[in-house]
Every structure is written in structure tokens, then in C-alpha cells.
Amino acid sequence: MKYMNNNRIRQIILVCVSCLFTLQAKAEEELKTRDDYVTSAISSIDAVTIEKNAVSQVEEALNGTIPGLYSISNGGQKFSTANYLFYLRGKATTADNSPLVLVDGIDSDIYLLDPQEIESITVLKDAAELSLYGLRGANGVVLIKTKQGSASRNFMRVDLRMGEQRPAVLADKLNAYQYTTLYNEGNRNDGIPPIYNPDNYLNPTDIYRYPDTHLKDDFLRERTMYNYYNFTAGGGNEIAQYFALLSYSRQDGLFALPDDLTGLNQTHDERYNFRTNVQIDLGKGFHLQTNISAIYDDRRSPWRNTSTDVNTTRNYIFQSLMTTPANAYPLNNPDGSLGGTSEYRDNPIGMLQAGERAENTRKLTANVLLKKNLDEWIKGLSIFAQYGFENYNAYYKGSYTSFAVYQLKDDGTYEQYGANDTKVSYSGDQMPGYYSDMTFNIGTDLNRTFGKHLLKASAWYNQYSSSVGGDVPSYKWMGASAQVLYGFDKRYFAQLSASYQGSNNYLRGERYGFFPSFSLGWQISEEKILKENQAIDFLKLRASLGLAGNDRTGGGRFMYRQAYYNGNGYGFGNPNGTSQGSYEGTLGNPDATWEKAMLTNIGIDFRTLKNSLSISANYFYEKRKDILVNQSNVVSSIVGIQLPQFNGGIIRNQGVEGDVNYSKVLGNISFYSGVNVLYAQNKVIDLKEVNYPENENYRYRKGHPVDVIFGFVADGVYNSQEEIREHGVVSSFGQLSPGDIKYIDLNGDGIINSADQKPIGNALPELIYGIYAGLEVKGFDLYVHAEGSENFKLNVRPEQFSTYAYNNRWTDASSGNSALYPRLSFASEHNLQSSSFWLTKGHLVRLSTIELGYTLPSLWTQKISLSKIRLYMRLHNFFSTTEGREGRDFEAVYAGFTQYPAMKTALVGISINL
């Protein structure tokens, strides 16, 4: 036996140590693309794709651009806050399913970032990578890399944009005649005499007593302005490189006063972004990288009250304009005072003139990474340490007056509602949402090739804490992770990954978990039988299996602790006195833990036609257990205290995803296109539901999707009292009358109640896709991107005072079962229930981006000492299929109806490279 020398022993020890510590997000160069050695499911988009698909927020660039990533609008446009919900490969929990987002390796919100400061966005999707993030990885991980400088080139760029935004959907409103007609009809159906004469509103002789206001037309702009100015610069040399960004953007709001009035006339958002990223070679193998970002955001809206933020105020005002009846009051009375009633006091003239609320957001992020190359010890070995923090704070200030409204009475006098005070009051304070995050990582990487052998090893220790506003303990996570990849002859690859991660949210001794994974890769195109094949440029099979966790279970902080509260005092003595008491809150659950996801992925990557055509496909399967469920479902209420949730749920999620990309250059013509598709189905295996009688098995969520819609099964409408008697049921939601929806009595007990509701549809799309295409020829370039989703249901009931109800309502037996809207009633809630009557098949196709550009010939730009000038026009969110019943957006169903609308944008821009 030969003995190893001391150098060899030292090398082995160092390699072993290198598997103990490393950076959680890894160094930026380790953001893997789908190259030879990758065994995991990863997808990325670059800076060009991000810039073309985003107008003001990075979120917009994720719509239909990354395979497997759902991006669903969560309502109408909101200024400087998240406008989208994200899911990776569907949904596998009843709790928070959003992925973990890291910017340059540290936790960060992305909705305030400028799209032009981002170099790439990478999504990690299977256990081969997600197990490294332990109890935070099960929902997927989004890695965002910001731009860096270059040692080979220097650049300066100015990008200027200006355009207009319009509501994508804006509902119609009833005029006074239509509203009063419906109101009278609803009263008659409830046995109440009519209170209006609608004819008075057709040609009113007194516009003050018979007003017909047009609030939507008078106080909402048809279009608003959008402005964006951006300056970026970068460059450097072999020793130091830098990237800097300074940008300003502004979006105006829809609210406006008539031209003859003064006061606050719009909502707007202004944002300033600053970033500087610097990399320095310190010598002797040391490399320093610093990323610093500062954001200042200013949002303004009319004043409402101290507890209502700008976005809530904006929705409130919009809802008031859209739902206030046209005959509610005249805007101004004969004496010039503001019109109003005891019920309707939000006269828009008063609201828009009363004052202003300004919200200022400040966000500072700093990230320092120090690396040391240890090639002198072991070739390919490096160590590093990273420290990052992010601080977010927001304040508001307001100036306001109060206003009164006056109702004209029959005797010519006025009834006042509210206080009329012209004295200006001021208010200001810190807003909720404050946080201060800290990330610390230390670790090592090894990247080494020995002949036909490839060895890549990483290990790291990570700490992350987040302090939030109020008297709340910090959120803390801590752990270590390691990953080892071995490759042989560029053909066979095996990877082991594992993490040991914990959170302070759980009982001491139960805070940590072990999350392993294993993956394999076989690059078939390197086999002799295919290596000389001219048709196949690349072919690889991948497979992975492993465990990841999700601690965002919806159970709140410290579920293991027993809570006690002050209250429930008692009286005693003579005279009576009181003593403060206390009571026991929800029982503690010392066994509370995180969700555990067993993830399986099988994938294939293929390239052909001299790498012009690439195809990637994956099959995935996830079984997630320990989902929080209600203990009250399985334990009798005789216990007499509120019971905690416990980890007892199981959900399965599986599907396929794929993307195809093609590019070709023919002379001076360049063409590229692609499509990505995701089909995912989830199913509830067990949620510890209440036991239902045998004849009500249809009530279980088990066997149905997580986002299942429950409702009644409708069978047309009743056309006569005789038909109601023949059906032989009564409704627990009101007296049945002709024109009411006919619900099927599923359990046969003769009563229509909640026991007759069953799954009637799935709210989350099962199929999503994105399509893009681009063309460049003789200085002109064209880019088109579209997205869509299928296999879901929309359950929205139009309001009784909507144009849809007016045009399609049941009026008498002649309407028959073809009536699209039941009878109107203010007394009965029977027709207001969730049911298949209101269900619509989801079908979303959105033309997200169309951009046409022209780059001036270099001979022209050189004459004015510029390297490049590009002019372009862009349409964003300009076309979308809408729900046929009312024209609602399939994602943001209330936007443009009772919520501030989503916006479509048309802009022109110029990009100048200095």
C-alpha cells in the first residue's frame, strides 16, 4: 500500500471542507443555464426580453415568458405595489404558494425595481436545486441578477419614453331612466309599490329634482400620461468594472375634475431608481463586489382618511363613481352647494377638492460579496462571504378639509349631511409594511476538471433575518447547504444536494429539517452513435428526486405557544367595582411544522439545425403533505376552546411543461420565435374535512383541485308558481317566485341550502402558454409577444343595477329558461348565491407586447458622435379576450367595474447610445 504525501492529504481535507460552507444563492456566475452539465429544471430570460415586455414593473416581463411560471393579475392597476400573483407549476397548497425571490442572492421585493437594471431572471423548478433552500424552497425560487460592468467595453445609454395609458376594460353605467326602471321592478317583485316615475328622467323639467348625472364621463379621464427617463453607464478595465443606473418614471391617474373647477385632479405615481454595481480585483486572488440600490417612490391621491392608503383610496373613489346611481343627487344644487343625501355623501367634486394624500416610499439595498481564489492550494477552489441588507420604509402626509353635502327638500329647504369646514388640517405618520432584512452567507466553491472527470462542489452557511414594524420578534432562518456534481466524459452526470435549514417560528428542538435531493443527467449526443450525427446538435435526458419545504403555511407566528389575552373582567363589591381578567386563546400546537414537498422531475433537452432549434420538456410530480387543516373538522366543539390548526393535509400536483425556440439569420434578415406551454393539474388527497352524510359525498374537496369553486347546480329559472310547486323545494335564502334560479336539490331533502352546493369549476387555469416572435431587417425590428390560459372557470354575478341585468333580465314567463338574468329582488338572496348559472368558461388570450423599432444607420450617428440611435413604438396589453357576458377581464374580474381598471399603454421612445 502506498502512502499519500502531506500535500495530497491537505487537498482531500480542503475538498471535504469545501462541502460544508458556501453562499445560498451562489456566486453570480453559478446562475446555471441549460448547458452540458446541468441536471435540473431551470429556465431563464435575459435583459432584452425583460426590457421589451415590461413598461414600469419587472412583474410585467414574467407574463408568459418563463416556462412553468404562472403570472396572474390580482386586480386593477396599483401604483408601486405588487400587481401579480405568481405560482410555479401550478398550486400544491392551500396556503402561500408564491416562490422565493432573491435579487443578487438576498431576499427582496421586485415590484419597485427598474426593469433596465436587471441582467437576467432565472427560475429554479425541481428538487435538484430547490432542496438547497430547505423549508423555503418548495414553491420554487426566482433568482434575479442585476447588471454588472464590463472589462471589454464602456457604454452610456439614454432611454426616453412618453405615451398614454387607457383603461383596458371600463364598465357601462345605467342612466337615470334605466336605474329607476329596475328599482321599481325590484320593488314590485318584492310586493312594494314603485317609488319612481322613470318618465320624469327622460326629459326632466327640473334637473335638480330629477338628476341624470354621468359621473364616469365627468370625473374619469379617457387617457392619462406615462413618462420614463433612464440613464445607464458601465464599463471598466481588468481591475475594476462598474454599472450605474438613474431613472425616473411617472404614471398619471384617471381622476379629473371638470374644466371649470379647481382642485386635485388626478392620482399619480413618481419613482426614482438609483443603482451602482462595482467589481474590483483587489489582487492576490481577492475580488470585491458591491451592489447598492436606492429607490424613492412618491404616490399621490385625493384624501380620504388616515387609515386608507393611496391604492385603497383610488379604488374607493372609482367604485363610488361606478356604483352611485345616476339619479342619486345633482352634482350642484340650485344654490351652488354640493348635492348629496344621507345615503350618498361622496360627491366627487367634494372628494377631489377636499385634499391630498402623499405617500413616500424609501428603499435601500446594499450587498457586499468578497471572494478569494485559492488556486494556489487547489485549482478551481474559492471561498467567499456575503453580507446584504435591505431597508424599506413608507410615510404618508396629508392636507385636507371636510365638506358637506345638501339634499334639496320638497319645501325648497336643504338637509345638510356632514361638516363643512374649509380650515386645512394636516396629518402624517409612518405606514405599515416597514421591514429591515439582513442576509449573511459564507462558503466555498470548487470547479475542477481531471481529464474526463468534472467535479463541481459547493457548500454554504446562511443566515437571514427580517425585522418588521410593531412589537413583533424578528423572523429568522438559518442553515447549511451543500451540492456536489460529478460528470464523466461529458456524457454522464450525477448530482447530490442537501440542506439542513431551520426557522425560529417553531418549537425549540423542532426547528430544523433535512432536505436531500439526487439528480442524474445523460448527454446522449456525446455517445459515439450520435456524436457524428449532423442532425442532432445536443440531446440530454435529466431526472431528479428530492425533498423541499414551505414554512409559509398560513398558521401565523409561534403556533406552538399558548396565547392568553386581557379581557373578560368581572364586577364585585359595594358599590360595584371591576377587576381586569384574562382568558385563554387558541390552544398551542407544539407539533406545528412546515409543509413537505416530495418533488420528481424528468426532462429532455434537444437542439438541432445547427443549434437554431431548441426544445426542452419536463414532466413533474409533487406530493405535498403536512398542509395546515382545521382541527375543528375532526374534534368536537364540546372541547369548549378554539382549537389550533394542525399539519394533516395532502395535495398532489403534476403536469408537463415545454418550450420551443427557433432563430435564423439569412443575409441581413434575422428571425426568432418561440412558444412555452404548461399544463398542471392538482388534486386534494386529504384535508381532514368534516364528515358528511353518505348522500352528500359530493360536498368533499377531496379529489378536486385546490381552487375549486363551490356552488349550486342551476337548471334554468322558474317561470310560474306551478313550476315551483312541481319542483317541490323551498329555499333557505328567500321566498321562491317566478323568475328565480332553479337549483337542483342534490340531497333530496326538499330544502335548498348550503348542503346542496358542490364543486362546479376550477378557478386556477390548468393550461398556460406564451408565444413570441421577432424580426430584424435593414435597421427595422419587430417584436410581438402574447400569452394565454385555458381550462378554468369564472364565477362572477353581474350587479342587479348593471347594463347586463337591464338588457337580459327575466320579466315574465315569456322570458322562459332562455333568460340570462333572474328576476330582480331586494328582499331575497336566493339568486345571489354562487351557482353554475353565473359560471363562464375561462379563455384568456392577451397580446402583451407589440414593438416596432428602427435603428438609424451608423453613418448618420457617427456624424453627431453617437454610437447608436434607435426609435421605437410599443403597445402593451392592448388586446385581451374578455368574458362574453359583461366584457370582464378574465384575470382581474372586478377591474374597471368596482376596482380601478387595468391599463393598456401606447408609447414612443428613443434609445441613444453615447
Side-chain angles (χ1 to χ4, degrees), residues 713-762:
V713 179
D715 184 23
V717 297
Y718 295 109
N719 286 303
S720 64
Q721 286 291 348
E722 181 181 355
E723 189 175 347
I724 295 174
R725 288 192 296 271
E726 289 178 355
H727 195 208
V729 299
V730 296
S731 174
S732 61
F733 306 106
Q735 181 70 37
L736 290 175
S737 297
D740 283 336
I741 301 173
K742 183 190 298 183
Y743 299 140
I744 295 179
D745 182 16
L746 295 179
N747 62 3
D749 64 356
I751 302 174
I752 299 298
N753 54 27
S754 59
D756 296 303
Q757 291 186 331
K758 62 171 292 186
I760 57 175
N762 179 29

CSV table of all heavy atoms in Angstrom, one decimal, residues 713-762:
chain,number,residue,atom,x,y,z
A,713,VAL,N,-76.0,23.8,-8.5
A,713,VAL,CA,-76.2,23.4,-9.9
A,713,VAL,C,-77.5,24.0,-10.3
A,713,VAL,O,-78.6,23.7,-9.8
A,713,VAL,CB,-76.2,21.9,-10.0
A,713,VAL,CG1,-76.4,21.5,-11.5
A,713,VAL,CG2,-74.8,21.3,-9.5
A,714,ALA,N,-77.5,24.9,-11.3
A,714,ALA,CA,-78.7,25.6,-11.8
A,714,ALA,C,-79.3,24.8,-13.0
A,714,ALA,O,-78.6,24.2,-13.8
A,714,ALA,CB,-78.3,27.0,-12.2
A,715,ASP,N,-80.6,24.9,-13.0
A,715,ASP,CA,-81.3,24.3,-14.1
A,715,ASP,C,-82.4,25.3,-14.6
A,715,ASP,O,-83.6,25.1,-14.5
A,715,ASP,CB,-82.0,23.0,-13.6
A,715,ASP,CG,-82.7,22.2,-14.7
A,715,ASP,OD1,-82.4,22.4,-15.9
A,715,ASP,OD2,-83.7,21.4,-14.4
A,716,GLY,N,-81.9,26.4,-15.2
A,716,GLY,CA,-82.7,27.4,-15.7
A,716,GLY,C,-83.4,28.2,-14.6
A,716,GLY,O,-82.8,28.4,-13.5
A,717,VAL,N,-84.5,28.8,-14.9
A,717,VAL,CA,-85.3,29.6,-14.0
A,717,VAL,C,-86.7,29.1,-13.9
A,717,VAL,O,-87.3,28.5,-14.8
A,717,VAL,CB,-85.3,31.1,-14.4
A,717,VAL,CG1,-83.8,31.7,-14.4
A,717,VAL,CG2,-85.9,31.3,-15.8
A,718,TYR,N,-87.4,29.5,-12.8
A,718,TYR,CA,-88.8,29.2,-12.6
A,718,TYR,C,-89.6,30.2,-13.5
A,718,TYR,O,-89.3,31.4,-13.4
A,718,TYR,CB,-89.2,29.3,-11.2
A,718,TYR,CG,-88.6,28.2,-10.3
A,718,TYR,CD1,-87.6,28.6,-9.3
A,718,TYR,CD2,-89.0,26.9,-10.3
A,718,TYR,CE1,-87.1,27.7,-8.5
A,718,TYR,CE2,-88.4,26.0,-9.5
A,718,TYR,CZ,-87.5,26.4,-8.5
A,718,TYR,OH,-86.9,25.5,-7.7
A,719,ASN,N,-90.6,29.7,-14.2
A,719,ASN,CA,-91.4,30.5,-15.0
A,719,ASN,C,-92.8,30.7,-14.4
A,719,ASN,O,-93.6,31.5,-15.0
A,719,ASN,CB,-91.5,30.0,-16.4
A,719,ASN,CG,-90.2,30.2,-17.2
A,719,ASN,OD1,-89.8,31.4,-17.3
A,719,ASN,ND2,-89.6,29.2,-17.7
A,720,SER,N,-93.2,29.9,-13.4
A,720,SER,CA,-94.5,30.1,-12.8
A,720,SER,C,-94.6,29.5,-11.4
A,720,SER,O,-93.7,28.7,-11.1
A,720,SER,CB,-95.6,29.3,-13.7
A,720,SER,OG,-95.3,27.9,-13.7
A,721,GLN,N,-95.6,29.8,-10.7
A,721,GLN,CA,-95.8,29.2,-9.4
A,721,GLN,C,-96.0,27.7,-9.5
A,721,GLN,O,-95.6,27.0,-8.6
A,721,GLN,CB,-96.9,29.9,-8.6
A,721,GLN,CG,-96.6,31.3,-8.1
A,721,GLN,CD,-95.6,31.3,-7.0
A,721,GLN,OE1,-95.3,30.3,-6.4
A,721,GLN,NE2,-95.1,32.5,-6.7
A,722,GLU,N,-96.7,27.3,-10.5
A,722,GLU,CA,-97.0,25.9,-10.7
A,722,GLU,C,-95.6,25.1,-10.9
A,722,GLU,O,-95.5,24.0,-10.3
A,722,GLU,CB,-97.8,25.7,-12.0
A,722,GLU,CG,-98.2,24.2,-12.2
A,722,GLU,CD,-99.1,24.1,-13.4
A,722,GLU,OE1,-99.5,25.1,-14.0
A,722,GLU,OE2,-99.3,22.9,-13.8
A,723,GLU,N,-94.7,25.7,-11.6
A,723,GLU,CA,-93.4,25.1,-11.8
A,723,GLU,C,-92.7,25.0,-10.4
A,723,GLU,O,-92.0,24.0,-10.2
A,723,GLU,CB,-92.6,25.8,-12.8
A,723,GLU,CG,-91.3,25.1,-13.2
A,723,GLU,CD,-90.6,25.9,-14.3
A,723,GLU,OE1,-91.2,26.8,-14.9
A,723,GLU,OE2,-89.4,25.5,-14.6
A,724,ILE,N,-92.8,26.0,-9.6
A,724,ILE,CA,-92.2,25.9,-8.3
A,724,ILE,C,-92.8,24.8,-7.4
A,724,ILE,O,-92.1,24.1,-6.7
A,724,ILE,CB,-92.3,27.3,-7.6
A,724,ILE,CG1,-91.6,28.4,-8.3
A,724,ILE,CG2,-91.9,27.2,-6.1
A,724,ILE,CD1,-91.8,29.8,-7.8
A,725,ARG,N,-94.2,24.7,-7.5
A,725,ARG,CA,-94.8,23.6,-6.7
A,725,ARG,C,-94.4,22.3,-7.2
A,725,ARG,O,-94.2,21.3,-6.4
A,725,ARG,CB,-96.3,23.8,-6.8
A,725,ARG,CG,-96.9,25.0,-6.0
A,725,ARG,CD,-98.4,24.9,-5.9
A,725,ARG,NE,-99.0,25.0,-7.2
A,725,ARG,CZ,-99.4,26.2,-7.7
A,725,ARG,NH1,-99.2,27.3,-7.1
A,725,ARG,NH2,-100.0,26.2,-8.9
A,726,GLU,N,-94.3,22.1,-8.5
A,726,GLU,CA,-93.9,20.8,-9.1
A,726,GLU,C,-92.5,20.4,-8.7
A,726,GLU,O,-92.2,19.3,-8.5
A,726,GLU,CB,-94.0,20.9,-10.6
A,726,GLU,CG,-95.4,20.9,-11.1
A,726,GLU,CD,-95.5,21.0,-12.6
A,726,GLU,OE1,-94.4,21.1,-13.2
A,726,GLU,OE2,-96.6,20.9,-13.2
A,727,HIS,N,-91.6,21.4,-8.5
A,727,HIS,CA,-90.2,21.2,-8.1
A,727,HIS,C,-90.2,20.7,-6.7
A,727,HIS,O,-89.3,19.9,-6.3
A,727,HIS,CB,-89.4,22.4,-8.4
A,727,HIS,CG,-87.9,22.1,-8.3
A,727,HIS,ND1,-86.9,23.0,-8.0
A,727,HIS,CD2,-87.2,21.0,-8.6
A,727,HIS,CE1,-85.7,22.5,-8.0
A,727,HIS,NE2,-85.9,21.3,-8.4
A,728,GLY,N,-91.1,21.2,-5.9
A,728,GLY,CA,-91.3,20.7,-4.5
A,728,GLY,C,-90.1,21.1,-3.6
A,728,GLY,O,-89.8,20.2,-2.7
A,729,VAL,N,-89.5,22.2,-3.7
A,729,VAL,CA,-88.5,22.6,-2.8
A,729,VAL,C,-88.8,24.0,-2.2
A,729,VAL,O,-89.5,24.8,-2.8
A,729,VAL,CB,-87.1,22.5,-3.4
A,729,VAL,CG1,-86.7,21.2,-3.9
A,729,VAL,CG2,-87.0,23.6,-4.5
A,730,VAL,N,-88.1,24.3,-1.1
A,730,VAL,CA,-88.1,25.6,-0.6
A,730,VAL,C,-86.7,26.1,-0.5
A,730,VAL,O,-85.8,25.3,-0.4
A,730,VAL,CB,-88.8,25.7,0.8
A,730,VAL,CG1,-90.3,25.4,0.7
A,730,VAL,CG2,-88.1,24.8,1.8
A,731,SER,N,-86.5,27.4,-0.5
A,731,SER,CA,-85.2,28.0,-0.4
A,731,SER,C,-84.9,28.6,0.9
A,731,SER,O,-85.8,29.3,1.5
A,731,SER,CB,-85.0,29.0,-1.5
A,731,SER,OG,-83.7,29.6,-1.4
A,732,SER,N,-83.8,28.3,1.5
A,732,SER,CA,-83.4,29.0,2.8
A,732,SER,C,-82.9,30.4,2.6
A,732,SER,O,-82.5,31.0,3.5
A,732,SER,CB,-82.3,28.1,3.5
A,732,SER,OG,-81.1,28.1,2.7
A,733,PHE,N,-82.9,30.9,1.3
A,733,PHE,CA,-82.3,32.2,1.0
A,733,PHE,C,-83.4,33.2,0.6
A,733,PHE,O,-83.1,34.3,0.2
A,733,PHE,CB,-81.3,32.1,-0.1
A,733,PHE,CG,-80.2,31.1,0.2
A,733,PHE,CD1,-80.1,29.9,-0.5
A,733,PHE,CD2,-79.2,31.4,1.1
A,733,PHE,CE1,-79.1,29.0,-0.2
A,733,PHE,CE2,-78.2,30.5,1.4
A,733,PHE,CZ,-78.2,29.3,0.7
A,734,GLY,N,-84.7,32.8,0.7
A,734,GLY,CA,-85.8,33.7,0.4
A,734,GLY,C,-87.0,32.9,-0.2
A,734,GLY,O,-86.8,31.8,-0.7
A,735,GLN,N,-88.1,33.6,-0.2
A,735,GLN,CA,-89.3,33.0,-0.8
A,735,GLN,C,-89.2,32.9,-2.3
A,735,GLN,O,-88.8,33.8,-3.0
A,735,GLN,CB,-90.5,33.9,-0.5
A,735,GLN,CG,-91.8,33.4,-1.1
A,735,GLN,CD,-92.3,32.1,-0.3
A,735,GLN,OE1,-92.2,32.0,0.9
A,735,GLN,NE2,-92.9,31.2,-1.0
A,736,LEU,N,-89.4,31.7,-2.9
A,736,LEU,CA,-89.3,31.4,-4.3
A,736,LEU,C,-90.4,32.1,-5.0
A,736,LEU,O,-91.6,32.0,-4.6
A,736,LEU,CB,-89.2,29.9,-4.6
A,736,LEU,CG,-87.9,29.2,-4.1
A,736,LEU,CD1,-88.0,27.7,-4.4
A,736,LEU,CD2,-86.7,29.8,-4.8
A,737,SER,N,-90.1,32.7,-6.2
A,737,SER,CA,-91.1,33.3,-7.1
A,737,SER,C,-90.7,33.1,-8.5
A,737,SER,O,-89.5,32.7,-8.8
A,737,SER,CB,-91.1,34.8,-6.8
A,737,SER,OG,-91.6,35.1,-5.5
A,738,PRO,N,-91.6,33.2,-9.4
A,738,PRO,CA,-91.2,33.1,-10.8
A,738,PRO,C,-90.1,34.0,-11.2
A,738,PRO,O,-90.1,35.2,-10.8
A,738,PRO,CB,-92.5,33.4,-11.6
A,738,PRO,CG,-93.6,33.0,-10.6
A,738,PRO,CD,-93.1,33.4,-9.2
A,739,GLY,N,-89.2,33.5,-12.0
A,739,GLY,CA,-88.0,34.3,-12.3
A,739,GLY,C,-86.8,34.0,-11.5
A,739,GLY,O,-85.7,34.5,-11.8
A,740,ASP,N,-86.9,33.2,-10.4
A,740,ASP,CA,-85.8,32.8,-9.6
A,740,ASP,C,-85.1,31.7,-10.3
A,740,ASP,O,-85.6,30.9,-11.0
A,740,ASP,CB,-86.2,32.4,-8.2
A,740,ASP,CG,-86.5,33.6,-7.3
A,740,ASP,OD1,-86.0,34.7,-7.6
A,740,ASP,OD2,-87.3,33.5,-6.4
A,741,ILE,N,-83.8,31.5,-9.9
A,741,ILE,CA,-83.0,30.4,-10.5
A,741,ILE,C,-83.4,29.1,-9.9
A,741,ILE,O,-83.7,29.1,-8.7
A,741,ILE,CB,-81.5,30.7,-10.2
A,741,ILE,CG1,-81.0,32.0,-10.8
A,741,ILE,CG2,-80.6,29.5,-10.7
A,741,ILE,CD1,-79.6,32.4,-10.4
A,742,LYS,N,-83.5,28.1,-10.7
A,742,LYS,CA,-83.9,26.8,-10.2
A,742,LYS,C,-82.6,26.0,-9.8
A,742,LYS,O,-81.8,25.6,-10.7
A,742,LYS,CB,-84.7,26.0,-11.3
A,742,LYS,CG,-85.2,24.7,-10.8
A,742,LYS,CD,-85.7,23.9,-12.0
A,742,LYS,CE,-86.9,24.6,-12.7
A,742,LYS,NZ,-87.5,23.8,-13.8
A,743,TYR,N,-82.4,25.8,-8.5
A,743,TYR,CA,-81.3,25.0,-8.1
A,743,TYR,C,-81.7,23.5,-7.9
A,743,TYR,O,-82.8,23.3,-7.4
A,743,TYR,CB,-80.8,25.5,-6.7
A,743,TYR,CG,-80.3,26.9,-6.8
A,743,TYR,CD1,-80.5,27.8,-5.7
A,743,TYR,CD2,-79.5,27.4,-7.8
A,743,TYR,CE1,-80.1,29.1,-5.7
A,743,TYR,CE2,-79.1,28.7,-7.9
A,743,TYR,CZ,-79.4,29.6,-6.8
A,743,TYR,OH,-78.9,30.9,-6.8
A,744,ILE,N,-80.8,22.6,-8.2
A,744,ILE,CA,-81.1,21.2,-8.0
A,744,ILE,C,-80.9,20.8,-6.6
A,744,ILE,O,-79.9,21.2,-5.9
A,744,ILE,CB,-80.2,20.4,-8.9
A,744,ILE,CG1,-80.5,20.6,-10.4
A,744,ILE,CG2,-80.4,18.9,-8.6
A,744,ILE,CD1,-79.7,19.9,-11.4
A,745,ASP,N,-81.9,20.1,-6.0
A,745,ASP,CA,-81.8,19.7,-4.6
A,745,ASP,C,-81.0,18.4,-4.6
A,745,ASP,O,-81.5,17.3,-4.8
A,745,ASP,CB,-83.3,19.4,-4.1
A,745,ASP,CG,-83.3,19.0,-2.7
A,745,ASP,OD1,-82.2,19.1,-2.0
A,745,ASP,OD2,-84.3,18.4,-2.3
A,746,LEU,N,-79.7,18.5,-4.4
A,746,LEU,CA,-78.8,17.3,-4.5
A,746,LEU,C,-79.0,16.3,-3.5
A,746,LEU,O,-78.9,15.1,-3.8
A,746,LEU,CB,-77.4,17.8,-4.5
A,746,LEU,CG,-76.9,18.7,-5.7
A,746,LEU,CD1,-75.5,19.1,-5.5
A,746,LEU,CD2,-77.1,18.0,-7.0
A,747,ASN,N,-79.4,16.6,-2.3
A,747,ASN,CA,-79.5,15.6,-1.2
A,747,ASN,C,-81.0,15.2,-1.1
A,747,ASN,O,-81.3,14.3,-0.2
A,747,ASN,CB,-79.0,16.1,0.1
A,747,ASN,CG,-79.6,17.3,0.6
A,747,ASN,OD1,-80.6,17.8,0.0
A,747,ASN,ND2,-79.2,17.8,1.7
A,748,GLY,N,-81.9,15.8,-1.8
A,748,GLY,CA,-83.3,15.3,-1.8
A,748,GLY,C,-84.1,15.6,-0.6
A,748,GLY,O,-85.1,15.0,-0.3
A,749,ASP,N,-83.7,16.6,0.2
A,749,ASP,CA,-84.4,16.9,1.5
A,749,ASP,C,-85.5,17.9,1.3
A,749,ASP,O,-86.1,18.3,2.3
A,749,ASP,CB,-83.4,17.3,2.6
A,749,ASP,CG,-82.7,18.6,2.3
A,749,ASP,OD1,-82.9,19.1,1.2
A,749,ASP,OD2,-81.9,19.0,3.2
A,750,GLY,N,-85.6,18.5,0.1
A,750,GLY,CA,-86.7,19.4,-0.1
A,750,GLY,C,-86.3,20.8,0.2
A,750,GLY,O,-87.1,21.7,0.1
A,751,ILE,N,-85.1,21.1,0.7
A,751,ILE,CA,-84.6,22.4,1.1
A,751,ILE,C,-83.4,22.8,0.3
A,751,ILE,O,-82.4,22.0,0.3
A,751,ILE,CB,-84.3,22.5,2.6
A,751,ILE,CG1,-85.6,22.0,3.4
A,751,ILE,CG2,-83.9,23.8,3.0
A,751,ILE,CD1,-85.3,21.9,4.9
A,752,ILE,N,-83.4,23.9,-0.3
A,752,ILE,CA,-82.2,24.4,-0.9
A,752,ILE,C,-81.3,25.2,0.1
A,752,ILE,O,-81.7,26.3,0.6
A,752,ILE,CB,-82.5,25.3,-2.1
A,752,ILE,CG1,-83.3,24.5,-3.2
A,752,ILE,CG2,-81.3,25.9,-2.7
A,752,ILE,CD1,-82.6,23.4,-3.8
A,753,ASN,N,-80.2,24.6,0.5
A,753,ASN,CA,-79.3,25.3,1.4
A,753,ASN,C,-77.9,24.9,1.1
A,753,ASN,O,-77.6,24.3,0.1
A,753,ASN,CB,-79.7,24.9,2.9
A,753,ASN,CG,-79.7,23.4,3.1
A,753,ASN,OD1,-79.0,22.7,2.4
A,753,ASN,ND2,-80.5,23.0,4.1
A,754,SER,N,-76.9,25.2,2.0
A,754,SER,CA,-75.5,25.0,1.7
A,754,SER,C,-75.2,23.5,1.5
A,754,SER,O,-74.2,23.2,0.8
A,754,SER,CB,-74.7,25.6,2.8
A,754,SER,OG,-75.0,24.9,4.1
A,755,ALA,N,-76.0,22.6,1.9
A,755,ALA,CA,-75.8,21.2,1.8
A,755,ALA,C,-76.0,20.8,0.3
A,755,ALA,O,-75.7,19.6,0.0
A,755,ALA,CB,-76.7,20.4,2.7
A,756,ASP,N,-76.5,21.7,-0.5
A,756,ASP,CA,-76.7,21.3,-1.9
A,756,ASP,C,-75.7,21.9,-2.8
A,756,ASP,O,-75.8,21.9,-4.1
A,756,ASP,CB,-78.1,21.8,-2.4
A,756,ASP,CG,-79.2,21.1,-1.6
A,756,ASP,OD1,-79.3,19.9,-1.7
A,756,ASP,OD2,-80.0,21.8,-1.0
A,757,GLN,N,-74.6,22.5,-2.2
A,757,GLN,CA,-73.5,23.0,-3.0
A,757,GLN,C,-72.5,21.9,-3.3
A,757,GLN,O,-72.2,21.1,-2.4
A,757,GLN,CB,-72.9,24.2,-2.4
A,757,GLN,CG,-73.8,25.4,-2.3
A,757,GLN,CD,-73.1,26.6,-1.7
A,757,GLN,OE1,-72.2,26.5,-0.9
A,757,GLN,NE2,-73.5,27.8,-2.2
A,758,LYS,N,-71.9,22.0,-4.5
A,758,LYS,CA,-70.9,21.0,-4.9
A,758,LYS,C,-69.8,21.7,-5.7
A,758,LYS,O,-70.0,22.8,-6.1
A,758,LYS,CB,-71.5,19.9,-5.7
A,758,LYS,CG,-72.1,20.3,-7.0
A,758,LYS,CD,-72.6,19.1,-7.8
A,758,LYS,CE,-71.3,18.4,-8.3
A,758,LYS,NZ,-71.7,17.3,-9.3
A,759,PRO,N,-68.7,21.0,-6.0
A,759,PRO,CA,-67.7,21.6,-6.9
A,759,PRO,C,-68.3,21.8,-8.3
A,759,PRO,O,-68.8,20.9,-8.9
A,759,PRO,CB,-66.6,20.6,-6.9
A,759,PRO,CG,-66.7,19.8,-5.6
A,759,PRO,CD,-68.2,19.8,-5.3
A,760,ILE,N,-68.2,23.0,-8.8
A,760,ILE,CA,-68.7,23.3,-10.1
A,760,ILE,C,-67.7,23.9,-11.1
A,760,ILE,O,-68.0,24.1,-12.3
A,760,ILE,CB,-69.9,24.3,-10.0
A,760,ILE,CG1,-69.4,25.6,-9.3
A,760,ILE,CG2,-71.1,23.7,-9.3
A,760,ILE,CD1,-70.5,26.7,-9.3
A,761,GLY,N,-66.4,24.0,-10.7
A,761,GLY,CA,-65.4,24.5,-11.6
A,761,GLY,C,-64.1,24.8,-10.8
A,761,GLY,O,-64.0,24.7,-9.6
A,762,ASN,N,-63.1,25.1,-11.6
A,762,ASN,CA,-61.7,25.4,-11.0
A,762,ASN,C,-61.3,26.8,-11.4
A,762,ASN,O,-61.4,27.1,-12.6
A,762,ASN,CB,-60.7,24.3,-11.6
A,762,ASN,CG,-59.3,24.6,-11.1
A,762,ASN,OD1,-59.2,25.1,-10.0
A,762,ASN,ND2,-58.3,24.3,-11.9
